[in-house]
Amino acid sequence: MYDLPLPTYLRIMTLIDKMAWIEIQDRKILSTRSKGKDTYYIPGGKREAGETDHQTLIREVEEELTVQLHPETLEFVRVFQAQAHGHAAGIEVKMQCYKGRYSGTITANSEIEKVIWLTYHDRDKVSPVDKLIFDWLKQQDLID
């Protein structure tokens, strides 16, 4: 028996289901960097069992940034999918993006080491899926 790699169409892809909060101010997008990491990510995170998109996003943003998203203002933006940063080939992340208003002061919390506002020129500092989001936001003329 030969141990040959599977053709692309037979490989099983693993998909990481994540939510992201798109917050733009002064034509810059809010991003975060976790402790011990070298890449910036748009705030958000993975769904826990039984959570809706909104519940996941509200929980994750409050854990990471200490602000409360207003559920009634959350609007679906778009879904982006790409290779998951720091994972083996074939593991992709599906990022469901929302925008919405918040209360409180954005402050790094939990595993977040740094909060920063990025422009399109900072695209090289973000994960592959965030690069797609940056490209789309630039095409929409929402970020510089």
Side-chain angles (χ1 to χ4, degrees):
M1 185 135 234
Y2 296 99
D3 190 18
L4 298 173
L6 288 174
T8 303
Y9 67 90
L10 290 178
R11 293 183 194 150
I12 297 173
M13 181 181 61
T14 301
L15 199 59
I16 300 169
D17 179 31
K18 292 183 85 174
M19 303 301 133
W21 177 44
I22 306 266
E23 176 63 11
I24 298 171
Q25 292 181 15
D26 300 322
R27 300 184 55 81
K28 296 177 182 175
I29 184 166
L30 178 65
S31 293
T32 61
R33 189 181 74 225
S34 296
K35 294 174 182 167
K37 305 284 183 178
D38 62 355
T39 303
Y40 290 96
Y41 297 90
I42 294 171
K46 296 180 201 168
R47 181 189 317 269
E48 290 183 358
E51 281 185 327
T52 66
D53 289 4
H54 287 190
Q55 290 168 334
T56 301
L57 196 58
I58 290 166
R59 177 185 52 75
E60 286 285 349
V61 168
E62 186 168 7
E63 286 174 7
E64 293 179 358
L65 301 172
T66 71
V67 296
Q68 293 75 45
L69 294 178
H70 299 271
E72 70 280 3
T73 69
L74 291 177
E75 280 182 57
F76 176 75
V77 174
R78 194 173 174 136
V79 174
F80 298 88
Q81 188 170 322
Q83 169 64 37
H85 180 257
H87 291 270
I91 298 177
E92 294 192 352
V93 61
K94 180 177 87 171
M95 191 79 80
Q96 299 178 76
C97 299
Y98 289 83
K99 63 181 182 174
R101 293 195 324 265
Y102 69 95
S103 299
T105 302
I106 294 172
T107 307
N109 193 37
S110 186
E111 75 273 5
I112 302 303
E113 183 172 38
K114 186 170 186 176
V115 174
I116 192 168
W117 296 90
L118 301 176
T119 67
Y120 189 74
H121 302 289
D122 299 305
R123 185 180 179 276
D124 62 327
K125 300 174 185 171
V126 301
S127 70
V129 73
D130 285 9
K131 283 181 169 78
L132 297 178
I133 297 168
F134 273 51
D135 292 345
W136 186 80
L137 292 171
K138 181 69 171 171
Q139 289 169 359
Q140 304 302 307
D141 196 32
L142 296 171
I143 61 173
D144 286 331

